[in-house]
């Protein structure tokens, strides 16, 4: 298993589009023992023993027979695991399939809307087929410049995304007492955040757009997602920052300016508080070999 752990460590540290454990592992890679920012949708299936992950908001203990979903934009680390731990892991970037999904993202209540909390634990019996997906991803060749392999990888990500929406949506509907109106307001807020996050960061702006009081909007968003309006705005800023750092040659100052920070120092302080890494450290860590 040592080779598998090392391979997973390399995938996670290099920002691969798909990071897969390729079978069950008995130890977490070192990169997950410190604050790790998830740029992907994350799935960790616990087959034996238990492990605990920590986010800024709370701790999640995952026992045998349970599956942990980690939402993208979440900073977490594995705080503890039992000596008999056995798990499998799959992280993948949803950005790669957004062009395929297109405008149906909000219509299908995409993962970040139906699963707004940083992490969610479900019974693995309620999440059928995930091990099969992990196995299929693990069987795909690495670093092969083959258009058919790449298309297969994209289609697997698309299929898995719909499966996750079904699993999480069903789990939430069976356990949730949140009203349909609250969910609708939350979805409308997320649309507004997606349009205005780079310039509007206060709850008053979004409440005005939705014709609600700031206090009432804050209460609804907290009840649905467990996060504040401002935390959702901050998550959107972090996602955009990461995209610009990973996919462009823009300097930290240019990124700071595009996101309307007063100066690069303020942006750096914000980014480090949200992710645990400075922008330069994050970019250096994610330079691909």
């Amino acid at each position: 298993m040592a080779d598998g752990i090392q391979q997973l460590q390399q995938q996670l540290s290099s920002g691969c589009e798909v990071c897969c454990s390729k079978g069950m592992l008995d130890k977490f890679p070192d990169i997950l023992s410190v604050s790790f920012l998830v740029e992907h949708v994350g799935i960790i299936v616990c087959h034996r023993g238990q492990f605990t992950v920590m986010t800024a908001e709370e701790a999640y203990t995952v026992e045998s027979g349970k599956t942990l979903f980690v939402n993208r934009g979440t900073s977490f680390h594995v705080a503890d695991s039992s000596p008999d731990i056995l798990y499998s892991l799959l992280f993948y970037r949803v950005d790669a399939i957004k062009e395929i999904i297109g405008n149906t993202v909000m219509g299908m209540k995409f993962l970040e809307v139906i699963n707004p909390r940083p992490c969610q634990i479900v019974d693995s019996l309620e999440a059928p087929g995930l091990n099969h997906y992990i196995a299929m991803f693990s069987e795909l060749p690495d670093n092969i410049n083959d258009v058919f392999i790449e298309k297969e990888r994209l289609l697997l990500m698309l299929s898995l995304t719909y499966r996750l929406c079904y699993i999480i949506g069903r789990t939430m509907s069976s356990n949730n007492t949140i009203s349909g109106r609250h969910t609708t307001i939350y979805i409308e807020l997320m649309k507004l955040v997606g349009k205005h996050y780079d310039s509007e960061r206060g709850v008053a702006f979004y409440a005005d757009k939705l014709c609600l009081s700031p206090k009432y909007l804050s209460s609804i968003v907290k009840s649905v997602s467990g996060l504040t309006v401002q935390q959702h705005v901050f998550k959107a800023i972090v996602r955009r920052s990461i995209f610009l750092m990973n996919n462009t040659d823009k300097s930290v100052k240019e990124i700071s300016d595009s996101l309307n920070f007063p100066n690069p120092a303020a942006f750096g302080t914000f980014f480090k508080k949200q992710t645990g890494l400075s922008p330069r450290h994050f970019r250096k860590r994610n330079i691909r070999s």
Side-chain angles (χ1 to χ4, degrees):
M1 293 186 184
D3 289 343
I5 296 168
Q6 182 61 33
Q7 185 177 45
L8 183 59
Q9 168 86 9
Q10 292 172 350
Q11 291 176 351
L12 292 168
S13 61
S14 62
C16 290
E17 190 173 78
V18 178
C19 302
C20 182
S21 61
K22 297 200 172 184
M24 299 182 190
L25 300 178
D26 60 1
K27 181 182 177 182
F28 286 96
D30 292 339
I31 194 171
L32 295 183
S33 65
V34 295
S35 184
F36 181 82
L37 178 66
V38 180
E39 300 173 64
H40 311 65
V41 172
I43 304 164
I44 308 177
V45 182
C46 185
H47 303 283
R48 190 179 68 197
Q50 66 178 41
F51 64 91
T52 300
V53 303
M54 298 285 297
T55 70
E57 289 80 22
E58 58 186 303
Y60 300 82
T61 297
V62 186
E63 301 175 339
S64 177
K66 302 289 185 179
T67 295
L68 178 73
F69 296 104
V70 186
N71 221 336
R72 77 168 184 160
T74 298
S75 291
F76 85 102
H77 69 276
V78 178
D80 186 40
S81 60
S82 62
D84 61 340
I85 184 66
L86 202 61
Y87 73 94
S88 52
L89 176 151
L90 175 65
F91 286 3
Y92 72 99
R93 294 180 185 273
V94 293
D95 290 338
I97 58 172
K98 278 195 172 180
E99 288 188 9
I100 303 175
I101 296 175
N103 293 327
T104 65
V105 172
M106 295 305 297
M108 64 184 275
K109 297 182 180 179
F110 196 55
L111 291 176
E112 292 168 31
V113 175
I114 67 171
N115 182 32
R117 297 177 184 275
C119 296
Q120 183 174 352
I121 300 172
V122 303
D123 193 306
S124 296
L125 293 177
E126 298 297 319
L130 294 185
N131 286 327
H132 183 52
Y133 276 102
I134 294 175
M136 287 191 291
F137 274 108
S138 69
E139 291 169 0
L140 292 177
D142 292 324
N143 302 318
I144 300 296
N145 187 21
D146 187 306
V147 65
F148 297 110
I149 294 297
E150 287 308 308
K151 292 296 184 183
E152 183 178 3
R153 195 188 311 274
L154 286 173
L155 289 173
L156 275 176
M157 285 191 279
L158 179 63
S159 176
L160 176 55
T161 299
Y162 277 102
R163 171 57 67 95
L164 291 178
C165 286
Y166 166 72
I167 291 170
I168 295 173
R170 186 180 62 179
T171 301
M172 291 186 71
S173 64
S174 62
N175 299 328
N176 213 334
T177 58
I178 297 170
S179 72
R181 171 170 163 74
H182 285 188
T183 301
T184 299
I185 290 172
Y186 176 76
I187 292 173
E188 291 303 314
L189 170 70
M190 295 305 291
K191 291 180 182 179
L192 288 171
V193 169
K195 292 179 180 178
H196 302 288
Y197 67 88
D198 57 345
S199 58
E200 300 293 342
R201 292 162 194 178
V203 64
F205 170 84
Y206 296 100
D208 181 65
K209 287 287 187 181
L210 294 169
C211 300
L212 302 170
S213 73
K215 184 176 181 180
Y216 183 53
L217 177 61
S218 297
S219 174
I220 289 173
V221 173
K222 188 72 173 179
S223 70
V224 173
S225 69
L227 302 177
T228 66
V229 174
Q230 191 172 65
Q231 283 175 316
H232 282 293
V233 176
F234 286 175
K235 284 166 72 70
I237 295 170
V238 169
R239 284 196 296 269
R240 182 60 178 170
S241 303
I242 290 171
F243 175 83
L244 292 173
M245 282 188 275
N246 282 347
N247 297 281
T248 75
D249 294 325
K250 288 181 179 292
S251 67
V252 171
K253 182 181 185 308
E254 288 173 321
I255 294 173
S256 172
D257 290 344
S258 71
L259 294 170
N260 291 302
F261 282 87
N263 51 61
F267 170 66
T269 299
F270 165 83
F271 190 84
K272 186 169 184 178
K273 183 177 181 180
Q274 298 299 314
T275 69
L277 296 171
S278 70
R280 288 184 175 82
H281 187 189
F282 178 87
R283 176 170 262 173
K284 182 178 180 181
R285 190 193 72 174
N286 286 276
I287 291 175
R288 299 177 183 175
S289 56

